[in-house]
Amino acid sequence: MSQAPSRTVVVLAAGEGKRMKSATPKMLQPLLGRTLLGHVLATSAAIKTDRTVVVVGHKADEITAFLAEVAPEATPVLQAQQNGTGHAVRIALESTPDLTGTVVVLSGDVPLLRPETLEMLLATHERAGAAATVLSAEVEVPGGLGRIVRGADGGLERIVEAKDASDEERRIREINSGIYAFDAVLLREALGKLSTDNAQGEEYLTDVFGILAAQGHRVAIEVAESWVETLGCNDRAELAQLRVLMRDRVNGAWMRSGVLLLDPATTWIDVTATLEPDAVVDQNSQILGSSSVATGAVVGPDTTLIDTTVAAGATVLRTHAIGASVGPSASVGPFSFLRPGTRLAAKSKIGGFVEAKNAELGEGAKVPHLTYVGDATIGAKANIGAGTIFANYDGVRKSHTTVGEAAFVGSDSVLVAPVEIGPGAYVAAGSAVTKDVPAGSLGVTRAQQRNIEGWTVRKRPGTVSAAAAEAADITSDQE
Ligand code: UD1
Ligand code: CA
């Protein structure tokens, strides 16, 4: 058996992307959990390749730093001046002098390309023994894209840029996706013959096809099943269009795998998030970053999960959660905010209008209403009354509060950290607790209540309250 030819991927990512009008380079614009370039690198990583070269230029430092973090196997190559796509590939090849085999060229701003389609392009290229193969697509509005010019035999004659095309050529609706496979040796030769004698004064990579075809080399075309995969991105309106297409693709895949999305049009799931069959996501919800939703869990409506795990059977209703973990059959919301380090054990509860940060709730523990829980450990079956504040910050330091198993904290209490409420202890409602409450004790810090009889009628005569007081007095006299 002969060894498979080597495969090198060259990703073009040096362009400026002026029309984005953003301080962030186009290649690093976000799209459902990855940057544009990140999607292209993920597609490239999903096929068998021997090396990846990324041509960087505009904001090269930022892109190189991104590569070091996200795709350390990729080698950045600097194209100091962006003199065209042909020039970019020429520079990439100059960094790998003895290259043979297949060179795959991808655009850093074409993020919807699937690995399956790239494999089809490569299969066509290798089966045909072609010098160069282009991925084309039929589109309704070809606009500024390069056109595929076919000869009398239906084969590829050349690729012409819209700006250099005749009126007749501009009517062609088969476009160049900017995704190609080349024979490395023939590509290098052809790149040496490029000129800048065109409308944009650039070295066009597309001219390689005409050069190779004229020399009698075989050039091939793979027509993409869907034009969607070849869509590039030049401005924010196009980015929004890509986001919708990517959302529909991601949501379609999850629904086919058994996830119930009640309103897929308003459900946004990053490509990095995961869901199990029979997970339910209600409308207007976002499952972002490394979030996961297990079977039988219900998330939403109106919920955002960022890097948050939701275990089986849990409910998260109208909630914003980041860096949290929600245990099996636990419940959260409505209208709550889970911040990093919130860990909810099985069957625990965070109710409405609760903010939690770096807080651990034991099994069955409950924080049902209007509470701030910062830097705390709450034991199993403990109950935190409405309006309790875990005062974790003294203006200088953050401190920890521990509430023991099955302890009961009365409503409107302040637990001033560091402090410990022992197992089975009670805190009387309205207490400001600054000292530990031992196990099984009642902690009370408020003043004794005294009632001043007849006060309303004497001090607020003529008010509705005084009238009510007098009426109550008559009633009680009659009893
Ligand atoms: C290119 C193709 C066009 C095709 C379209 C598909 C050429 C001449 N034209 O046009 O036929 O329909 O892509 O999207 O190739 N880049 C560099 N260095 C450069 C120039 C560009 O790295 O000097 C990178 C860009 O960052 C981008 C990619 O190459 O990722 C394509 O460049 P772009 O300027 O967008 O090419 P188009 O004019 O759109
Ligand atoms: Ca483009």
Side-chain angles (χ1 to χ4, degrees), residues 24 159 215 254 257 279 315 337 401 426 460 472 474 476:
T24 304
I159 300 173
Q215 287 174 342
W254 286 122
S257 81
T315 312
F337 181 19
T401 297
Y426 270 62
R460 296 290 183 270
I474 290 160
S476 63

Side-chain angles (χ1 to χ4, degrees), residues 122-201:
L122 282 161
T124 298
H125 177 74
E126 281 159 13
R127 197 178 331 110
T133 306
V134 57
L135 183 70
S136 76
E138 285 279 347
V139 298
E140 285 302 318
V141 187
L145 294 167
R147 309 294 203 269
I148 302 290
V149 181
R150 290 178 183 256
D153 61 352
L156 179 61
E157 202 172 88
R158 62 195 183 98
I159 300 173
V160 64
E161 289 308 289
K163 285 184 180 138
D164 301 283
S166 65
D167 289 347
E168 196 186 334
E169 286 167 337
R170 240 180 253 124
R171 279 194 287 275
I172 298 172
R173 292 195 293 110
E174 184 179 339
I175 58 88
N176 167 26
S177 68
I179 295 157
Y180 323 88
F182 295 100
D183 174 82
V185 175
L186 296 173
L187 172 63
R188 191 188 301 274
E189 271 174 39
L191 286 171
K193 301 193 172 91
L194 291 182
S195 86
T196 54
D197 183 16
N198 53 51
Q200 301 181 75

Side-chain angles (χ1 to χ4, degrees), residues 201-231:
E202 291 180 351
E203 291 181 33
Y204 290 168
L205 178 58
T206 44
D207 285 350
V208 163
F209 283 84
I211 293 169
L212 291 171
Q215 287 174 342
H217 290 293
R218 199 186 298 256
V219 289
I221 306 174
E222 173 72 20
V223 185
E225 259 172 53
S226 160
W227 56 273
V228 161
E229 287 190 53
T230 69
L231 266 180

